[in-house]
Amino acid sequence: MIDAPAWSQDGPVAGAETETGARRGLSIFSKAYFDQFSPVTALDMVQRIPGFSVSDGDTSRRGLGDSFGNVLINGRRPSNKSLSLDTVLQRIPINDVERLELIQGAQPEYNMRGHARLVNIILAPGAGNSGSWDARLQYSPAGRLGPRGIIAYATVQGPVELTFGLDTGTSGNRIRRRRALQDASGAVLELQRDNDQRQYREAVPTLSLNWTVDDRSTLRFDLQGTVWDWHRNQTSFVDAPAGSGVAPLRYEQNQTGNHGHSYQGMVTYSRDLTDAISIQTMGLVNREMWDDGPEAYETYDPVIGYLGAIIVSSTGETEETALRQTLAWTADARHTFEFGAEIAVNARDTGLVLFEDDGTRITEIILPVANTRVEETRSEIFAHHTWTVSDRLSVESGLRYEFSEIVQSGDFQQSRSFAYPKPAVTLNWRQDDQNRLRVTARRDVDQLDFGNFASVVDIADNNATLGNPDYVPQRTWTLEAEWVRQFGEDGSVSLQVGHDWIEDLDGSVPVTTPGGVFDAPGNIGDGTNFRVTADLTTPLDGFGVADAVLNIFAEWYKTSVEDPLTGADIPFAAVREWEFGLDFRQTLAAQQLAWGWDYHWVSDRRVFLAQEQRLHNNTDGDLDLYIETTRWGGVTTRLGVDGLLNNGDDRERVFYAGSRAAGVVDAIEHRNESSGASWYLRVRGTF
């Protein structure tokens, strides 16, 4: 087994004392605890810890500081922005795991990095030189088979551990759409039927190297690549009411493809300078390139034939390079400090070409900000302090200050500079062995979506979105409290209440050009978000259902922002009012069987645009069922069905004559989109 430092990325600081037990907020889960779930890899085990959800950190935020996950291996973080926790944990066979520890509340030897809880996987002596595999065959309503396979193997050679992985597969689903277009009085103008057949293929190889250089230093290297290819063939039949029936109005056809590749690499060097001081250096390189089209939307008359087409072609490339240096100091048994700096360069090149073919000639349609490059250079300094006030109380505090410059070139040229302080403080209080309270106050700055700086078109929805060079990152002040209670060996309940004050909320703003009124991504003003989240995991033996576990998740949001067109309060476009989920599993040990189901349901969502309003409705929720066994060949075999209640998602679009603020309805479109239920057979094992 490779020594713990080989997993190094962000582990216990030098000189910190390691204590366990309830006094330090540590719950231990033996390997036998997970037998009822028939785990194959460490990921299966972690996902079954009551009240815990795997998180990679917020990779959508800026730089490396927020992209640390909430799972440790032998006390050290194994994941980073180039390698997800799911990928890492899928590569650890269950035979290599000795036990799991649930860490609740800030500990001097562990940097929580904003997470309320951490899971620490303790590897068994001699772990390594082992592998896992996962094979899946999915049958879609289109009658297509989609195979997928994952294989991973780790080998230990002295102080070096190498882990190889490959995730590859194909999928092919068919989406059916039904559309009805009405005028303002409700009279039907058009009826449309879409048959949208898709096929997707990808391969994701990974490589990790962990090297214990000496007693005080470690080196870790992670590399992941992705190659993908996506195709779509869509046919649409549009009819018009005629008497008691319908008459063909037009026929539309669309064929397109998307292909690309990406790679992410990260290196981490850690060294203990003394028993109390350690340093860590991290470097990241991330590149992605893609090519869309040419995508032709062709229109045919049932009598005349070909009428014309709109042709779209686009290319893109993103770049991210980052360097982070930290110094950790354990001042004494109660105080630990971390200081450091980070610099990152992010960029995106986008090219978009749009043509109109009228059957006689092809004419280019000029869109503003269609070809552009956006580059951000960002630097940050930070300090973090963990104070263990007592066995029951700890306080985490920190301050980050970032400076950034955004330069846009191409169709639009502009340069802007920003500076943002980002303070944070978290109080963790353990009332007793069962109850814990966490209160957090912080300021966040969201990662810029560089796609918002460039124009895009959606021919299927007859919609163009202009790039917005004046877009700025959204900032949020948050006050949040969470109460967690554990009961018995398998039970956990948590309640989280939070309030967000958001500056320059991301949204859609109207832009008037000589070609008409368009929507553009932008900042629509300041808004608020009050939210309540509840999570319950409980065994059902007390309800007469033996060896069964139920998880209930519910979340409610109350969002508000001033409509830039009407001045009225409206909800956030990207946030639904509520979300609800159930997850049930029962183990029948004597029969070597288990079965379960999960159900997920979300509320409606409204989107407000310059000349349009949309209502999205998730009609019946998502129900998945499965049954699995371990009785054949020592492997876990599962048969399941996803989307059993899939009657489609509804969408209503209300089009206005002129500005939405005037309220004059021009037309209404109703659409139902469904891909149906899909069956799968999954077999997993270790070697």
Side-chain angles (χ1 to χ4, degrees):
M1 172 184 174
I2 196 163
D3 294 335
W7 291 94
S8 173
Q9 186 185 101
D10 185 32
V13 294
E17 295 181 6
T18 303
E19 299 177 32
T20 60
R23 187 176 68 85
R24 300 300 305 273
L26 188 74
S27 301
I28 297 176
F29 293 83
S30 67
K31 191 174 179 178
Y33 169 84
F34 301 95
D35 288 346
Q36 60 180 315
F37 304 116
S38 304
V40 175
T41 68
L43 178 62
D44 302 324
M45 303 171 73
V46 172
Q47 289 175 334
R48 287 298 171 177
I49 291 181
F52 183 81
S53 298
V54 176
S55 171
D56 285 306
D58 195 342
T59 56
S60 65
R61 292 187 191 164
R62 303 148 78 79
L64 300 172
D66 294 300
S67 60
F68 294 99
N70 60 354
V71 176
L72 314 176
I73 298 178
N74 285 344
R76 299 183 180 273
R77 278 185 167 86
S79 67
N80 49 54
K81 204 167 183 178
S82 69
L83 201 64
S84 71
L85 275 174
D86 281 4
T87 299
V88 173
L89 300 182
Q90 281 178 340
R91 303 188 310 191
I92 303 176
I94 184 176
N95 294 334
D96 286 352
V97 179
E98 181 176 291
R99 68 180 186 277
L100 269 61
E101 300 173 345
L102 177 62
I103 303 165
Q104 303 187 85
Q107 309 290 334
E109 63 267 34
Y110 301 110
N111 191 332
M112 303 296 286
R113 294 200 178 275
H115 295 291
R117 291 171 287 279
L118 300 177
V119 164
N120 186 22
I121 301 173
I122 305 300
L123 298 181
N129 295 315
S130 57
S132 63
W133 57 273
D134 186 333
R136 175 176 174 139
L137 188 64
Q138 182 165 324
Y139 180 78
S140 73
R144 294 195 175 190
L145 293 176
R148 188 166 200 92
I150 303 174
I151 189 168
Y153 182 75
T155 179
V156 178
Q157 303 294 329
V160 177
E161 179 185 21
L162 282 172
T163 304
F164 308 90
L166 177 63
D167 182 347
T168 184
T170 65
S171 62
N173 64 320
R174 178 174 58 199
I175 299 174
R176 296 181 182 274
R177 299 187 192 88
R178 299 294 182 266
R179 291 174 174 157
L181 182 64
Q182 303 171 328
D183 63 18
S185 67
V188 177
L189 303 175
E190 293 181 358
L191 296 172
Q192 182 170 331
R193 295 165 290 137
D194 295 345
N195 183 22
D196 185 345
Q197 181 66 61
R198 305 183 177 194
Q199 183 173 8
Y200 181 75
R201 297 177 294 178
E202 72 170 355
V204 184
T206 59
L207 168 67
S208 293
L209 180 149
N210 298 287
W211 177 24
T212 304
V213 181
D214 52 42
D215 292 341
R216 287 187 172 270
S217 57
T218 60
L219 181 67
R220 178 181 176 90
F221 175 74
D222 295 295
L223 180 64
Q224 175 176 298
T226 304
V227 180
W228 73 87
D229 185 62
W230 179 84
H231 291 278
R232 179 180 68 194
N233 189 339
Q234 177 177 309
T235 56
S236 303
F237 298 90
V238 185
D239 302 320
S244 59
V246 295
L249 186 62
R250 65 181 181 274
Y251 165 77
E252 298 176 354
Q253 182 171 320
N254 166 234
Q255 293 185 6
T256 187
N258 169 279
H259 62 273
H261 64 275
S262 67
Y263 64 88
Q264 304 89 37
M266 190 161 181
V267 60
T268 304
Y269 175 75
S270 302
R271 181 170 179 81
D272 297 335
L273 300 179
T274 69
D275 291 340
I277 300 176
S278 62
I279 60 171
Q280 185 180 80
T281 305
M282 304 172 62
L284 169 72
V285 175
N286 190 344
R287 299 290 185 269
E288 180 176 328
M289 289 132 293
W290 69 91
D291 194 345
D292 287 326
E295 182 174 4
Y297 289 83
E298 302 173 341
T299 303
Y300 297 84
D301 182 90
V303 177
I304 300 175
Y306 182 73
L307 295 177
I310 299 294
I311 304 169
V312 184
S313 182
S314 64
T315 59
E317 180 177 354
T318 61
E319 307 170 11
E320 181 179 15
T321 306
L323 180 66
R324 180 183 179 90
Q325 180 65 56
T326 60
L327 182 146
W329 172 41
T330 303
D332 53 42
R334 294 186 178 275
H335 297 274
T336 60
F337 298 87
E338 184 182 64
F339 308 95
E342 177 177 314
I343 184 169
V345 179
N346 294 70
R348 173 177 170 134
D349 284 285
T350 304
L352 173 66
V353 183
L354 183 65
F355 297 95
E356 181 180 11
D357 180 1
D358 62 5
T360 303
R361 62 179 180 177
I362 298 177
T363 305
E364 183 176 359
I365 302 174
I366 304 299
L367 279 179
V369 204
N371 299 278
T372 187
R373 175 180 173 86
V374 181
E375 182 174 303
E376 179 190 31
T377 302
R378 186 188 63 85
S379 57
E380 177 181 275
I381 55 175
F382 55 87
H384 183 271
H385 174 219
T386 300
W387 176 24
T388 305
V389 182
S390 68
D391 292 339
R392 296 182 180 273
L393 179 65
S394 64
V395 179
E396 294 180 273
S397 58
L399 176 63
R400 294 185 290 171
Y401 204 97
E402 74 166 47
F403 311 86
S404 67
E405 181 183 27
I406 302 173
V407 178
Q408 185 164 0
S409 57
D411 290 348
F412 189 92
Q413 298 182 6
Q414 181 173 264
S415 176
R416 295 174 295 157
S417 298
F418 304 97
Y420 300 116
K422 297 182 290 185
V425 60
T426 298
L427 182 148
N428 297 279
W429 179 52
R430 182 173 62 87
Q431 179 182 350
D432 50 41
D433 291 347
Q434 285 76 43
N435 296 277
R436 290 173 175 81
L437 178 67
R438 178 178 64 92
V439 180
T440 297
R442 65 177 182 270
R443 190 194 195 204
D444 295 322
V445 179
D446 282 11
Q447 174 68 285
L448 285 169
D449 183 351
F450 284 2
N452 288 346
F453 289 87
S455 298
V456 296
V457 293
D458 185 348
I459 304 301
D461 273 343
N462 191 27
N463 186 50
T465 301
L466 298 187
N468 186 355
D470 296 322
Y471 167 63
V472 300
Q474 173 180 294
R475 286 95 61 205
T476 304
W477 285 97
T478 293
L479 181 62
E480 181 179 276
E482 181 183 40
W483 168 70
V484 179
R485 177 176 175 82
Q486 292 180 283
F487 54 92
E489 185 183 46
D490 304 327
S492 173
V493 60
S494 67
L495 179 66
Q496 184 184 100
V497 179
H499 197 284
D500 304 317
W501 293 266
I502 302 172
E503 306 169 72
D504 289 326
L505 176 72
D506 285 353
S508 180
V509 296
V511 176
T512 302
T513 72
V517 178
F518 296 91
D519 291 290
N523 306 101
I524 62 175
D526 298 341
T528 59
N529 176 20
F530 178 76
R531 48 192 167 82
V532 180
T533 303
D535 197 320
L536 170 67
T537 300
T538 179
L540 299 178
D541 299 78
F543 298 91
V545 185
D547 300 320
V549 177
L550 177 67
N551 177 257
I552 303 175
F553 173 84
E555 196 159 32
W556 176 78
Y557 299 90
K558 175 61 177 177
T559 62
S560 178
V561 65
E562 183 178 295
D563 189 331
L565 281 180
T566 66
D569 285 341
I570 58 174
F572 295 0
V575 179
R576 296 181 183 268
E577 183 180 3
W578 54 263
E579 181 177 350
F580 178 72
L582 296 170
D583 189 317
F584 170 86
R585 179 183 173 96
Q586 183 179 27
T587 302
L588 308 173
Q591 292 79 24
Q592 294 180 277
L593 291 174
W595 74 285
W597 51 267
D598 61 78
Y599 177 72
H600 183 251
W601 198 18
V602 295
S603 67
D604 297 346
R605 179 171 66 92
R606 291 189 179 275
V607 178
F608 300 90
L609 303 174
Q611 296 178 300
E612 180 184 341
Q613 181 180 167
R614 299 182 183 182
L615 174 64
H616 297 264
N617 177 23
N618 180 257
T619 51
D620 300 309
D622 179 28
L623 176 64
D624 305 329
L625 297 174
Y626 68 87
I627 183 171
E628 70 180 28
T629 181
T630 57
R631 65 172 62 189
W632 297 316
V635 301
T636 300
T637 303
R638 173 182 289 195
L639 177 65
V641 56
D642 291 341
L644 194 60
L645 297 181
N646 193 324
N647 291 321
D649 295 328
D650 290 335
R651 185 188 70 177
E652 178 187 80
R653 300 175 70 189
V654 179
F655 302 98
Y656 295 89
S659 171
R660 176 172 52 83
V664 180
V665 176
D666 182 53
I668 303 173
E669 178 195 83
H670 298 276
R671 186 192 76 177
N672 177 269
E673 179 178 284
S674 173
S675 57
S678 60
W679 291 81
Y680 67 88
L681 178 66
R682 185 182 185 188
V683 183
R684 300 186 298 154
T686 61
F687 59 94

